[in-house]
Amino acid sequence: MCGIAGLFIKGARLQPELGALLAEMTSTLCSRGPDSAGFALYTADSPGRTKLTVTSLAGRADFETLAVLLGRSIGAAVYFTNRHTHSVFSVPADLVGQCRSWLAENAQDLRVLSEGANLEIYKEVGYPDDVARQFNIQSFSGTHGIAHTRMATESAVTTTGAHPFSTGADQCLVHNGSLSNHASLRRELLQDGIVAETENDTEVAAGYITRELRRGRALGDALKSTLNDLDGFFTFVVGTKNGFGVLRDPIACKPAVMAETDDYVAFASEYRSLAALPGVADARVFEPKPATPYFWEH
């Protein structure tokens, strides 16, 4: 069944409340997906640096040591911030490829959940309210974010199998639904250099969007192209460095509702997730139409 929440803040006034508002929206969706949850948050950047959000399949806790060793290897400072089972490494933007190669060779239990100047992803197995509390999502400020509560139907309940999925710099996607052609599309994406690390069909959808954006499509056009190339039923919410997009399949069997004010655009699987947002009583509330891309950018 799964639940999705997303919040795109238009101006600076509500940015300090991004995490608190998104966590509250997600809390109402726990019953739709009680086995795991995740949050993608677009936070402040540091010029010339990229953030790698990582987790360990083996329960590694020595992220500080790893950051020191990585810094020695690349000959530059690597900063880190630990949150629960994850760590965010801040590395020089021009050395990201070198950093990822070193981590793949020297810390094979590590998985990079996101890469970007602004994007940080936190996801874990467990009840969504607990996941939000463990990562202190309420403390985040930022421009936009998306969240997901998962009820697994096809792939395993694991940290890396939880949403959101990121397959490109500052890009992420959450999904409610099921794709029937993800296996063939997975092979096609591999030929284009996009490797899916899990069996989750949502990661394939994320990889598809990444490929289309790399080909020069705008976000709205990339979303629209999924209608021809992805089989199944789906509601997607997508984040990019400056943007926020929503798309439902032509049948639109998965619930969705949106609200827009001068301060924000919000998406949720159920209206009750929007009810506590500031100014929602005066918002334009609407159900996104089937097969129609919606997107906003800063």
Side-chain angles (χ1 to χ4, degrees), residues 63-258:
F63 292 119
E64 180 177 4
T65 300
L66 200 60
V68 170
L69 293 174
L70 175 58
R72 289 176 182 170
S73 172
I74 64 174
V78 173
Y79 309 116
F80 72 98
T81 302
N82 291 339
R83 282 184 181 265
H84 188 41
T85 54
H86 296 13
S87 188
V88 179
F89 292 166
S90 173
V91 305
D94 58 344
L95 298 178
V96 170
Q98 187 175 337
C99 291
R100 294 190 70 133
S101 295
W102 187 91
L103 290 171
E105 182 177 350
N106 295 277
Q108 295 180 6
D109 61 298
L110 225 63
R111 293 294 181 270
V112 178
L113 301 179
S114 65
E115 168 193 327
N118 302 90
L119 177 61
E120 300 175 28
I121 286 182
Y122 300 95
K123 56 185 185 178
E124 193 55 271
V125 173
Y127 197 68
D129 280 347
D130 295 335
V131 173
R133 183 177 62 256
Q134 289 161 347
F135 288 111
N136 196 18
I137 297 301
Q138 295 85 347
S139 68
F140 278 87
S141 62
T143 54
H144 52 301
I146 60 179
H148 188 269
T149 66
R150 186 179 185 217
M151 180 179 290
T153 57
E154 294 186 4
S155 57
V157 178
T158 63
T159 300
T160 54
H163 304 209
F165 284 95
S166 178
T167 52
D170 281 312
Q171 298 168 19
C172 63
L173 179 146
V174 294
H175 168 213
N176 183 16
S178 181
L179 303 178
S180 57
N181 66 331
H182 63 92
S184 59
L185 188 55
R186 185 187 303 267
R187 293 190 293 270
E188 182 182 319
L189 292 172
L190 183 60
Q191 295 176 355
D192 293 324
I194 297 174
V195 180
E197 296 184 351
T198 74
E199 296 301 315
N200 197 303
D201 58 342
T202 303
E203 187 177 12
V204 175
Y208 177 89
I209 295 292
T210 296
R211 185 186 69 180
E212 297 308 301
L213 292 175
R214 287 178 181 175
R215 290 176 171 176
R217 289 180 182 266
L219 176 57
D221 291 334
L223 287 169
K224 190 171 184 178
S225 67
T226 67
L227 298 170
N228 294 322
D229 295 338
L230 273 60
D231 294 332
F233 52 96
F234 53 82
T235 295
F236 294 139
V237 178
V238 177
T240 66
K241 181 178 175 65
N242 298 312
F244 173 84
V246 171
L247 178 70
R248 305 172 79 191
D249 68 79
I251 299 175
C253 63
K254 294 298 182 180
V257 62
M258 302 193 72

Side-chain angles (χ1 to χ4, degrees), residues 9 11 41 146:
I9 297 178
L41 301 127
I146 60 179

Side-chain angles (χ1 to χ4, degrees), residues 4-7 20-29 266-268 272-274 277:
I4 302 174
L7 184 61
L21 292 172
L22 190 58
E24 186 172 11
M25 292 173 67
T26 307
S27 181
T28 65
L29 300 173
F267 173 95
R272 58 179 176 162
S273 293
L274 307 176
L277 288 172

